[in-house]
Amino acid sequence: MSPIHTSLMLVFLLVSLALFLLLKLNPFAVEQNPLKKRRLYLAGAKLKTAERIAIRLQTLFRQTRCTRKKFLIMMLAAAAGGFLAGIMLFNSIDLAAVAAGCLLPAPYIYLTVKSATVAREEIEGLENTMSVITNAYASCDDVVKAIELYVEEKNRYLPPHLRTVTPFDEFVSEIKYINPNIEHGLYRLAAKIRNRYFAEWTKILILCHYDRRLKFALFPVVKAMNDAKSMQVESDGMMVRVWRDYLLTAGLMFSVIPLMRFSNAEWFSILTTTAVGKLLVVFMLLAALGTAFYVLRATKPANR
């Protein structure tokens, strides 16, 4: 089996897996009990990989106000655009199919970049929450009571049907009714909110649970959250510049192929018809896809 056929089979398997995950098609799935699933989640049971992917996509849709149907349409449009671009650039159905597969993650990358704007609002809301809980803990020296006071204050002026359940509400309920281990509850609270300042703050809270004299170490962490706002603004500017340079580099890399088609038809034929040439083009496409994920990781918000 040639490398091109192997690459095409791999692309087909990835596309099939993406469709199964998006449409929630699982032939081995059994009827789930949502109450049991919730109980296992609060008890500390680990989620499966497919469930973590589903939670990640749901969070992404919520932050960008995108629906599952719109995301599926974007994926199909990206694949169709990649196939047409591959036909125009390479004049080869095999390479066009590989190009379509490499463009499938484009909607996910776009939504992830778009969701980075939520990071600034996340810092502001989390900073206020941490400040209220820190001041309450400094006066009462009780972690659970401080978080409970914040939850009561948050829900005091809201009718029940407008209240939203936050990780802090879940922490109080878990400590009261499921597991009274405060250290375990704080670790779970830190895992539910992806923020490095908040993770450091919860670690200090755990230390304060054993030595209350360390409570004054909480205030510098809250102040660092305020400094993270300006860092986030700089990060947004840097992110735009990095993505601009990446797109410019990728465009220059692939612009050589159509230029070669008109300047040297023999070289273009070798590149798009021979096995070695096709393998080189596939390597270029995979390199562009891999560097896109690398840039996505390098430009993540400063508070995550």
Side-chain angles (χ1 to χ4, degrees), residues 244-257:
R244 181 190 60 194
D245 295 341
Y246 165 76
L247 294 176
L248 181 61
T249 304
L252 290 175
M253 181 175 65
F254 287 103
S255 65
V256 176
I257 297 177

Side-chain angles (χ1 to χ4, degrees), residues 91-247:
N91 198 20
S92 172
I93 296 179
D94 297 340
L95 295 178
V98 177
C102 290
L103 277 180
L104 271 178
Y108 171 78
I109 296 176
Y110 167 72
L111 293 180
T112 303
V113 174
K114 187 178 179 181
S115 68
T117 57
V118 185
R120 190 181 299 109
E121 299 176 1
E122 179 183 297
I123 289 179
E124 294 177 357
L126 199 57
E127 179 196 1
N128 295 332
T129 300
M130 291 165 56
S131 178
V132 171
I133 296 176
T134 300
N135 292 330
Y137 177 73
S139 60
C140 67
D141 291 336
D142 190 334
V143 176
V144 179
K145 186 177 180 181
I147 298 179
E148 190 175 3
L149 288 174
Y150 162 75
V151 172
E152 292 177 355
E153 186 68 23
K154 176 177 68 70
N155 296 328
R156 177 176 300 177
Y157 303 105
L158 289 176
H161 65 280
L162 292 180
R163 296 175 184 174
T164 57
V165 179
T166 64
F168 298 97
D169 297 83
E170 294 179 349
F171 170 81
V172 174
S173 301
E174 181 181 352
I175 294 298
K176 284 186 174 180
Y177 305 112
I178 298 177
N179 187 356
N181 190 334
I182 297 178
E183 181 178 356
H184 175 74
L186 288 174
Y187 275 121
R188 288 183 56 80
L189 179 63
K192 294 175 184 177
I193 301 177
R194 292 182 55 195
N195 185 288
R196 59 191 180 99
Y197 298 101
F198 183 75
E200 182 181 357
W201 183 75
T202 52
K203 290 178 181 178
I204 298 177
L205 271 182
I206 293 173
L207 295 176
C208 292
H209 179 61
Y210 297 101
D211 188 358
R212 295 187 176 122
R213 293 174 298 179
L214 298 174
K215 62 184 178 181
F216 296 102
L218 294 169
F219 293 96
V221 181
V222 178
K223 185 178 183 300
M225 286 285 291
N226 190 17
D227 298 336
K229 294 180 182 178
S230 58
M231 292 175 57
Q232 185 60 46
V233 174
E234 297 176 1
S235 177
D236 292 342
M238 182 268 296
M239 180 178 63
V240 173
R241 291 193 298 270
V242 171
W243 278 109
R244 181 190 60 194
D245 295 341
Y246 165 76
L247 294 176

Side-chain angles (χ1 to χ4, degrees), residues 12 21 59 66 78 89 98 242:
F12 175 76
L21 292 178
T59 304
C66 179
L89 283 176
V98 177
V242 171

